[in-house]
Amino acid sequence: MAMRQTPLTCSGHTRPVVDLAFSGITPYGYFLISACKDGKPMLRQGDTGDWIGTFLGHKGAVWGATLNKDATKAATAAADFTAKVWDAVSGDELMTLAHKHIVKTVDFTQDSNYLLTGGQDKLLRIYDLNKPEAEPKEISGHTSGIKKALWCSEDKQILSADDKTVRLWDHATMTEVKSVNFNMSVSSMEYIPEGEVLVLTYGRTIAFHSALSLEPIKSFEAPATINSASLHPEKEFLVAGGEDFKLYKYDYNSGEELESYKGHFGPIHCVRFSPDGELYASGSEDGTLRLWQTVVGKTYGLWKCVLPEEDSGELAKPKIGFPETAEEELEEIASENSDSIYSSTPEVKA
């Protein structure tokens, strides 16, 4: 009997969720940050969606958000012409980096010492976080606003995307190595370090390119306009979401559509696999994040597969089982942080 996908709904945002990112796996699990047009990026426990805190300080829509590898720092990009760096443990704002236009994207180096930013002023900036008073290094060359910028090749190179062009830059010389033009607007870009794979979406196309040469590897066509796609860490399959409110799961090798799910009530703007590959998160125009199981029916996080007694004659049905302490834990987190930047606890629903 086929198991039914039951996503966890993470509410709390009041406007569309436009970006999300997972940390690496830490001794405390992994974490998830979301960027939203309400100007209030949120931090959550990655495997359950439990709310941890809200970073307060931006005065405009937040377009991009990221965590460093060990989830000790967060960075956000916003329409108030700033990027901010935060202590992700305490929630304190560490620095505000002023820009001349809307900032759309932020990314830490692996050692968390440098921050890459990009936005509507068409410039890439590299900030030395150990010298916040120093002027950033600037890379020019884009001809329209930058949508996404990522470190790659162990921080030796940079990948960036504007409206219809993806560019590869050398960090040491600050020069362009190669660029690729597309006939449609590039809606998202994901970098996979293992194998140096670049995942791009434009129109209905999900395309895979070499991150080293930008040469195409393969591409798939989806039934609707796709806004975001993510490749599973083991490169077995990928997920994608877009304008038809659906999430699609494809076999990476064959391109065959394996599953599709509808749960959001608006277009999907962002989707990413967790670092362990057990789930993927989606953010939508409807103001929610949803967490979906990669293998439906597996006991993981807040999902618990409850099998009936053998002699009952009933078919196995997946159920969502919440730990008895879940409510207590959320109340404890809220009370612990009541004096800090954290606001009331959004709920996580099955």
Side-chain angles (χ1 to χ4, degrees):
M1 177 185 177
M3 296 274 191
R4 181 170 168 262
Q5 174 77 271
T6 308
L8 299 178
T9 302
C10 308
S11 55
H13 283 301
T14 57
R15 297 286 310 282
V17 178
V18 291
D19 193 27
L20 56 84
F22 284 100
S23 71
I25 297 172
T26 77
Y28 307 98
Y30 60 87
F31 299 87
L32 170 64
I33 191 170
S34 54
C36 180
K37 289 185 182 179
D38 63 11
K40 297 173 182 177
M42 288 186 178
L43 183 69
R44 297 176 185 273
Q45 192 72 37
D47 59 343
T48 62
D50 288 346
W51 175 87
I52 295 171
T54 301
F55 299 102
L56 299 177
H58 278 296
K59 295 182 175 67
V62 175
W63 287 101
T66 192
L67 293 165
N68 66 348
K69 200 164 53 175
D70 57 5
T72 55
K73 287 181 182 175
T76 50
D80 60 8
F81 292 20
T82 70
K84 289 181 185 284
V85 180
W86 312 81
D87 182 320
V89 180
S90 67
D92 295 332
E93 182 183 314
L94 298 178
M95 62 187 77
T96 296
L97 306 170
H99 289 63
K100 294 174 183 174
H101 212 307
I102 293 167
V103 192
K104 284 289 188 80
T105 178
V106 280
D107 195 34
F108 287 106
T109 49
Q110 290 183 43
D111 60 12
S112 308
N113 287 331
Y114 295 89
L115 185 74
L116 173 66
T117 71
Q120 291 297 93
D121 63 1
K122 308 172 192 173
L123 292 174
L124 292 167
R125 290 183 174 84
I126 300 168
Y127 290 87
D128 185 339
L129 300 182
N130 296 315
K131 300 175 185 173
E133 70 289 340
E135 286 297 310
K137 295 178 183 175
E138 294 184 352
I139 303 176
S140 60
H142 276 284
T143 56
S144 61
I146 296 166
K147 293 181 174 180
K148 196 77 174 175
L150 301 167
W151 294 102
C152 65
S153 304
E154 298 180 336
D155 304 332
K156 291 178 184 140
Q157 294 184 309
I158 294 166
L159 288 159
S160 57
D162 61 22
D163 189 35
K164 294 180 180 177
T165 309
V166 173
R167 299 175 194 268
L168 179 66
W169 310 84
D170 181 74
H171 181 198
T173 62
M174 310 279 281
T175 56
E176 185 180 305
V177 177
K178 192 172 181 184
S179 66
V180 177
N181 294 309
F182 298 90
N183 58 8
M184 291 187 200
S185 182
V186 176
S187 50
S188 76
M189 181 171 76
E190 180 187 46
Y191 167 65
I192 310 293
E194 296 77 15
E196 298 288 337
V197 178
L198 184 62
V199 186
L200 302 169
T201 59
Y202 49 92
R204 296 186 175 196
T205 303
I206 306 157
F208 301 86
H209 290 245
S210 163
L212 299 173
S213 65
L214 297 188
E215 292 298 321
I217 299 169
K218 63 171 74 177
S219 64
F220 307 136
E221 291 296 313
T225 299
I226 296 296
N227 294 328
S228 184
S230 185
L231 182 61
H232 189 269
E234 293 174 10
K235 301 181 185 62
E236 295 173 357
F237 30 75
L238 61 130
V239 289
E243 293 297 308
D244 65 351
F245 307 5
K246 281 186 178 181
L247 276 160
Y248 295 91
K249 185 175 173 185
Y250 293 95
D251 182 287
Y252 176 66
N253 295 309
S254 68
E256 178 192 356
E257 183 185 316
L258 302 174
E259 299 158 342
S260 67
Y261 302 112
K262 195 167 181 180
H264 283 291
F265 297 98
I268 294 162
H269 294 308
C270 45
V271 58
R272 284 292 178 268
F273 271 107
S274 62
D276 62 2
E278 292 286 353
L279 61 81
Y280 47 99
S282 57
S284 166
E285 184 76 16
D286 66 14
T288 68
L289 287 99
R290 289 173 198 256
L291 305 183
W292 310 77
Q293 277 191 292
T294 303
V295 179
V296 179
K298 187 174 181 178
T299 295
Y300 179 84
L302 294 181
W303 289 284
K304 186 177 180 184
C305 185
V306 181
L307 296 174
E309 295 296 325
E310 287 182 15
D311 57 358
S312 69
E314 292 180 21
L315 291 169
K317 295 179 183 176
K319 296 181 182 178
I320 296 292
F322 291 91
E324 290 175 16
T325 58
E327 268 185 40
E328 293 165 21
E329 284 174 5
L330 286 173
E331 285 170 14
E332 193 179 322
I333 289 168
S335 65
E336 278 176 8
N337 297 309
S338 59
D339 297 327
S340 67
I341 53 98
Y342 302 131
S343 56
S344 60
T345 309
E347 55 190 331
V348 180
K349 296 181 196 168

